[in-house]
Amino acid sequence: MRHFSEVLRSAVLAGICIAIGGFVFLATSGNAALKPYGAIIGAVFFLFGLITIVHFRYKLYTGAVGFATVKCNDLCDLGTILLGNVIGCLLVALAAKLSPLGLEDTAARLLESRLATGALRCGVLAIGCGFIVTASVVHGRNDHWLPMLFGIPTFIICGFPHCIADAFYYLAAPFSLLADRCGEVILLYVAIVAGNTVGCNLYRWILPESK
């Protein structure tokens, strides 16, 4: 029980870090005064989330799934981490709804764009995100930050979905939109989690001897 509590609390903090990065991305990409560079600025400042997580070694799903085994304990931990990450995102999303920056509208547009793209295509694109995040985490843990400084803005600008950042975006969108399209959103999210999982593991699946 103590282990579960420690993993969950660490995962909640990781979710908060990513959601703060998502908060600034919504604030800048939706700001007309910053166009056409708002999304790029937001992608750069999103780095705060992952740098903080790697430094403090908080539990992030995309930072853990590429190193987990199929043992029961690891799989349970992954479920706990994903739950904690989403809880952290929810806390920041509730705060985002109080912001005067109109983040709900920007989040709604992002969610509608994901839904229009479709679960299958978003799941495939999410593989690219997982691939980049695992490389960034490995280098960051060894105090090599350059891959992260380029990699994280790269996956955001490319539109590769990240399952924790997307959790924040969806929860920051109007609850009426989530309620109206609940089934589609759940299918979309499952596809993105699956895509991230595949991308995070490509390194050890393709070259297992290099892990």
Side-chain angles (χ1 to χ4, degrees), residues 34-60:
L34 295 176
K35 287 184 177 180
Y37 305 110
I40 296 175
I41 295 170
V44 171
F45 280 100
F46 185 93
L47 272 165
F48 163 81
L50 198 59
I51 288 175
T52 303
I53 289 166
V54 173
H55 177 75
F56 288 109
R57 292 189 174 269
Y58 293 149
K59 301 292 187 181
L60 180 70

mmCIF file of all heavy atoms in Angstrom, residues 34-60:
data_model
loop_
_atom_site.group_PDB
_atom_site.id
_atom_site.type_symbol
_atom_site.label_atom_id
_atom_site.label_comp_id
_atom_site.label_asym_id
_atom_site.label_seq_id
_atom_site.Cartn_x
_atom_site.Cartn_y
_atom_site.Cartn_z
ATOM 1 N N LEU A 34 0.186 36.787 -30.588
ATOM 2 C CA LEU A 34 1.449 36.068 -30.778
ATOM 3 C C LEU A 34 1.525 35.339 -32.113
ATOM 4 O O LEU A 34 2.551 34.721 -32.420
ATOM 5 C CB LEU A 34 1.653 35.066 -29.638
ATOM 6 C CG LEU A 34 1.833 35.661 -28.234
ATOM 7 C CD1 LEU A 34 1.933 34.551 -27.199
ATOM 8 C CD2 LEU A 34 3.060 36.560 -28.169
ATOM 9 N N LYS A 35 0.448 35.349 -32.873
ATOM 10 C CA LYS A 35 0.458 34.645 -34.157
ATOM 11 C C LYS A 35 1.424 35.332 -35.112
ATOM 12 O O LYS A 35 1.552 36.554 -35.097
ATOM 13 C CB LYS A 35 -0.962 34.625 -34.741
ATOM 14 C CG LYS A 35 -1.885 33.667 -33.992
ATOM 15 C CD LYS A 35 -3.255 33.583 -34.647
ATOM 16 C CE LYS A 35 -4.132 32.562 -33.915
ATOM 17 N NZ LYS A 35 -5.462 32.451 -34.511
ATOM 18 N N PRO A 36 2.121 34.546 -35.950
ATOM 19 C CA PRO A 36 1.980 33.099 -36.150
ATOM 20 C C PRO A 36 2.936 32.263 -35.307
ATOM 21 O O PRO A 36 3.152 31.092 -35.578
ATOM 22 C CB PRO A 36 2.313 32.942 -37.635
ATOM 23 C CG PRO A 36 3.377 33.978 -37.848
ATOM 24 C CD PRO A 36 3.020 35.140 -36.952
ATOM 25 N N TYR A 37 3.547 32.870 -34.280
ATOM 26 C CA TYR A 37 4.599 32.178 -33.543
ATOM 27 C C TYR A 37 4.149 31.630 -32.193
ATOM 28 O O TYR A 37 4.946 31.050 -31.460
ATOM 29 C CB TYR A 37 5.784 33.132 -33.327
ATOM 30 C CG TYR A 37 6.304 33.727 -34.609
ATOM 31 C CD1 TYR A 37 6.118 35.082 -34.893
ATOM 32 C CD2 TYR A 37 6.966 32.941 -35.546
ATOM 33 C CE1 TYR A 37 6.583 35.639 -36.084
ATOM 34 C CE2 TYR A 37 7.438 33.484 -36.732
ATOM 35 C CZ TYR A 37 7.240 34.838 -36.994
ATOM 36 O OH TYR A 37 7.700 35.375 -38.166
ATOM 37 N N GLY A 38 2.880 31.813 -31.854
ATOM 38 C CA GLY A 38 2.403 31.401 -30.544
ATOM 39 C C GLY A 38 2.597 29.925 -30.262
ATOM 40 O O GLY A 38 3.014 29.537 -29.160
ATOM 41 N N ALA A 39 2.304 29.083 -31.264
ATOM 42 C CA ALA A 39 2.440 27.640 -31.054
ATOM 43 C C ALA A 39 3.894 27.241 -30.839
ATOM 44 O O ALA A 39 4.197 26.356 -30.029
ATOM 45 C CB ALA A 39 1.857 26.886 -32.249
ATOM 46 N N ILE A 40 4.815 27.909 -31.550
ATOM 47 C CA ILE A 40 6.238 27.602 -31.377
ATOM 48 C C ILE A 40 6.708 28.027 -29.988
ATOM 49 O O ILE A 40 7.433 27.296 -29.308
ATOM 50 C CB ILE A 40 7.067 28.303 -32.468
ATOM 51 C CG1 ILE A 40 6.686 27.757 -33.844
ATOM 52 C CG2 ILE A 40 8.564 28.119 -32.209
ATOM 53 C CD1 ILE A 40 7.351 28.471 -34.997
ATOM 54 N N ILE A 41 6.289 29.202 -29.559
ATOM 55 C CA ILE A 41 6.641 29.669 -28.218
ATOM 56 C C ILE A 41 6.110 28.707 -27.165
ATOM 57 O O ILE A 41 6.810 28.329 -26.222
ATOM 58 C CB ILE A 41 6.085 31.089 -27.982
ATOM 59 C CG1 ILE A 41 6.769 32.090 -28.921
ATOM 60 C CG2 ILE A 41 6.267 31.512 -26.522
ATOM 61 C CD1 ILE A 41 6.123 33.452 -28.942
ATOM 62 N N GLY A 42 4.856 28.289 -27.334
ATOM 63 C CA GLY A 42 4.254 27.349 -26.391
ATOM 64 C C GLY A 42 4.973 26.017 -26.368
ATOM 65 O O GLY A 42 5.145 25.413 -25.303
ATOM 66 N N ALA A 43 5.412 25.555 -27.554
ATOM 67 C CA ALA A 43 6.126 24.279 -27.634
ATOM 68 C C ALA A 43 7.442 24.342 -26.881
ATOM 69 O O ALA A 43 7.842 23.381 -26.216
ATOM 70 C CB ALA A 43 6.373 23.920 -29.103
ATOM 71 N N VAL A 44 8.125 25.480 -26.939
ATOM 72 C CA VAL A 44 9.396 25.641 -26.241
ATOM 73 C C VAL A 44 9.180 25.680 -24.725
ATOM 74 O O VAL A 44 9.864 24.995 -23.961
ATOM 75 C CB VAL A 44 10.122 26.914 -26.719
ATOM 76 C CG1 VAL A 44 11.344 27.192 -25.839
ATOM 77 C CG2 VAL A 44 10.529 26.771 -28.177
ATOM 78 N N PHE A 45 8.196 26.452 -24.280
ATOM 79 C CA PHE A 45 7.974 26.579 -22.843
ATOM 80 C C PHE A 45 7.332 25.324 -22.247
ATOM 81 O O PHE A 45 7.376 25.129 -21.026
ATOM 82 C CB PHE A 45 7.116 27.810 -22.541
ATOM 83 C CG PHE A 45 7.902 29.081 -22.552
ATOM 84 C CD1 PHE A 45 7.888 29.914 -23.659
ATOM 85 C CD2 PHE A 45 8.695 29.435 -21.465
ATOM 86 C CE1 PHE A 45 8.627 31.084 -23.679
ATOM 87 C CE2 PHE A 45 9.440 30.602 -21.472
ATOM 88 C CZ PHE A 45 9.412 31.438 -22.586
ATOM 89 N N PHE A 46 6.750 24.465 -23.082
ATOM 90 C CA PHE A 46 6.239 23.177 -22.619
ATOM 91 C C PHE A 46 7.353 22.353 -21.981
ATOM 92 O O PHE A 46 7.106 21.477 -21.146
ATOM 93 C CB PHE A 46 5.615 22.427 -23.802
ATOM 94 C CG PHE A 46 4.938 21.136 -23.426
ATOM 95 C CD1 PHE A 46 3.584 21.112 -23.136
ATOM 96 C CD2 PHE A 46 5.644 19.942 -23.368
ATOM 97 C CE1 PHE A 46 2.948 19.924 -22.796
ATOM 98 C CE2 PHE A 46 5.021 18.751 -23.016
ATOM 99 C CZ PHE A 46 3.669 18.748 -22.727
ATOM 100 N N LEU A 47 8.583 22.646 -22.385
ATOM 101 C CA LEU A 47 9.746 21.922 -21.859
ATOM 102 C C LEU A 47 9.821 21.932 -20.340
ATOM 103 O O LEU A 47 10.377 21.010 -19.737
ATOM 104 C CB LEU A 47 11.033 22.556 -22.412
ATOM 105 C CG LEU A 47 11.543 22.041 -23.747
ATOM 106 C CD1 LEU A 47 12.573 22.996 -24.305
ATOM 107 C CD2 LEU A 47 12.117 20.648 -23.584
ATOM 108 N N PHE A 48 9.283 22.986 -19.727
ATOM 109 C CA PHE A 48 9.330 23.067 -18.263
ATOM 110 C C PHE A 48 8.842 21.770 -17.628
ATOM 111 O O PHE A 48 9.440 21.268 -16.675
ATOM 112 C CB PHE A 48 8.461 24.231 -17.766
ATOM 113 C CG PHE A 48 8.135 24.134 -16.297
ATOM 114 C CD1 PHE A 48 9.050 24.543 -15.338
ATOM 115 C CD2 PHE A 48 6.927 23.580 -15.868
ATOM 116 C CE1 PHE A 48 8.755 24.424 -13.979
ATOM 117 C CE2 PHE A 48 6.626 23.464 -14.512
ATOM 118 C CZ PHE A 48 7.557 23.886 -13.575
ATOM 119 N N GLY A 49 7.752 21.243 -18.158
ATOM 120 C CA GLY A 49 7.142 20.056 -17.570
ATOM 121 C C GLY A 49 8.072 18.860 -17.558
ATOM 122 O O GLY A 49 8.310 18.248 -16.506
ATOM 123 N N LEU A 50 8.626 18.522 -18.726
ATOM 124 C CA LEU A 50 9.441 17.305 -18.797
ATOM 125 C C LEU A 50 10.796 17.486 -18.107
ATOM 126 O O LEU A 50 11.306 16.548 -17.485
ATOM 127 C CB LEU A 50 9.636 16.875 -20.248
ATOM 128 C CG LEU A 50 10.073 15.422 -20.425
ATOM 129 C CD1 LEU A 50 9.057 14.476 -19.812
ATOM 130 C CD2 LEU A 50 10.278 15.076 -21.888
ATOM 131 N N ILE A 51 11.382 18.671 -18.195
ATOM 132 C CA ILE A 51 12.653 18.907 -17.506
ATOM 133 C C ILE A 51 12.478 18.728 -16.003
ATOM 134 O O ILE A 51 13.311 18.113 -15.330
ATOM 135 C CB ILE A 51 13.187 20.315 -17.832
ATOM 136 C CG1 ILE A 51 13.693 20.372 -19.275
ATOM 137 C CG2 ILE A 51 14.319 20.700 -16.876
ATOM 138 C CD1 ILE A 51 14.120 21.754 -19.728
ATOM 139 N N THR A 52 11.390 19.260 -15.462
ATOM 140 C CA THR A 52 11.124 19.120 -14.024
ATOM 141 C C THR A 52 10.931 17.667 -13.642
ATOM 142 O O THR A 52 11.457 17.193 -12.627
ATOM 143 C CB THR A 52 9.873 19.935 -13.636
ATOM 144 O OG1 THR A 52 10.058 21.296 -14.013
ATOM 145 C CG2 THR A 52 9.605 19.855 -12.142
ATOM 146 N N ILE A 53 10.190 16.937 -14.461
ATOM 147 C CA ILE A 53 9.924 15.520 -14.186
ATOM 148 C C ILE A 53 11.217 14.706 -14.184
ATOM 149 O O ILE A 53 11.458 13.888 -13.289
ATOM 150 C CB ILE A 53 8.929 14.962 -15.212
ATOM 151 C CG1 ILE A 53 7.533 15.531 -14.957
ATOM 152 C CG2 ILE A 53 8.897 13.432 -15.179
ATOM 153 C CD1 ILE A 53 6.563 15.320 -16.104
ATOM 154 N N VAL A 54 12.047 14.916 -15.195
ATOM 155 C CA VAL A 54 13.296 14.158 -15.283
ATOM 156 C C VAL A 54 14.225 14.519 -14.130
ATOM 157 O O VAL A 54 14.863 13.648 -13.528
ATOM 158 C CB VAL A 54 13.981 14.402 -16.642
ATOM 159 C CG1 VAL A 54 15.371 13.763 -16.670
ATOM 160 C CG2 VAL A 54 13.128 13.838 -17.775
ATOM 161 N N HIS A 55 14.288 15.804 -13.783
ATOM 162 C CA HIS A 55 15.172 16.236 -12.695
ATOM 163 C C HIS A 55 14.769 15.605 -11.360
ATOM 164 O O HIS A 55 15.612 15.088 -10.620
ATOM 165 C CB HIS A 55 15.160 17.756 -12.576
ATOM 166 C CG HIS A 55 15.981 18.273 -11.434
ATOM 167 N ND1 HIS A 55 17.366 18.311 -11.469
ATOM 168 C CD2 HIS A 55 15.619 18.739 -10.201
ATOM 169 C CE1 HIS A 55 17.824 18.796 -10.326
ATOM 170 N NE2 HIS A 55 16.784 19.057 -9.537
ATOM 171 N N PHE A 56 13.475 15.646 -11.041
ATOM 172 C CA PHE A 56 12.999 15.118 -9.760
ATOM 173 C C PHE A 56 12.637 13.626 -9.825
ATOM 174 O O PHE A 56 12.250 13.046 -8.810
ATOM 175 C CB PHE A 56 11.785 15.914 -9.283
ATOM 176 C CG PHE A 56 12.119 17.296 -8.796
ATOM 177 C CD1 PHE A 56 11.754 18.406 -9.535
ATOM 178 C CD2 PHE A 56 12.803 17.485 -7.603
ATOM 179 C CE1 PHE A 56 12.057 19.691 -9.103
ATOM 180 C CE2 PHE A 56 13.110 18.759 -7.160
ATOM 181 C CZ PHE A 56 12.740 19.872 -7.913
ATOM 182 N N ARG A 57 12.718 13.050 -11.033
ATOM 183 C CA ARG A 57 12.400 11.641 -11.254
ATOM 184 C C ARG A 57 10.949 11.307 -10.853
ATOM 185 O O ARG A 57 10.679 10.278 -10.225
ATOM 186 C CB ARG A 57 13.389 10.727 -10.526
ATOM 187 C CG ARG A 57 14.788 10.802 -11.110
ATOM 188 C CD ARG A 57 15.731 9.760 -10.553
ATOM 189 N NE ARG A 57 17.012 9.793 -11.237
ATOM 190 C CZ ARG A 57 17.312 9.075 -12.318
ATOM 191 N NH1 ARG A 57 16.405 8.278 -12.843
ATOM 192 N NH2 ARG A 57 18.494 9.164 -12.882
ATOM 193 N N TYR A 58 10.043 12.192 -11.196
ATOM 194 C CA TYR A 58 8.624 11.912 -10.995
ATOM 195 C C TYR A 58 8.179 10.836 -11.980
ATOM 196 O O TYR A 58 8.823 10.603 -13.007
ATOM 197 C CB TYR A 58 7.792 13.178 -11.208
ATOM 198 C CG TYR A 58 8.006 14.266 -10.188
ATOM 199 C CD1 TYR A 58 7.866 15.605 -10.536
ATOM 200 C CD2 TYR A 58 8.365 13.968 -8.872
ATOM 201 C CE1 TYR A 58 8.068 16.620 -9.599
ATOM 202 C CE2 TYR A 58 8.562 14.973 -7.936
ATOM 203 C CZ TYR A 58 8.410 16.294 -8.314
ATOM 204 O OH TYR A 58 8.605 17.291 -7.391
ATOM 205 N N LYS A 59 7.070 10.210 -11.662
ATOM 206 C CA LYS A 59 6.586 9.090 -12.466
ATOM 207 C C LYS A 59 5.662 9.581 -13.584
ATOM 208 O O LYS A 59 4.527 9.996 -13.343
ATOM 209 C CB LYS A 59 5.816 8.099 -11.584
ATOM 210 C CG LYS A 59 6.623 7.504 -10.435
ATOM 211 C CD LYS A 59 7.710 6.583 -10.934
ATOM 212 C CE LYS A 59 8.392 5.864 -9.774
ATOM 213 N NZ LYS A 59 9.479 4.966 -10.229
ATOM 214 N N LEU A 60 6.147 9.536 -14.808
ATOM 215 C CA LEU A 60 5.359 9.903 -15.992
ATOM 216 C C LEU A 60 5.162 8.664 -16.852
ATOM 217 O O LEU A 60 6.114 7.913 -17.073
ATOM 218 C CB LEU A 60 6.082 10.994 -16.776
ATOM 219 C CG LEU A 60 5.374 11.493 -18.045
ATOM 220 C CD1 LEU A 60 4.126 12.297 -17.677
ATOM 221 C CD2 LEU A 60 6.322 12.331 -18.900
#
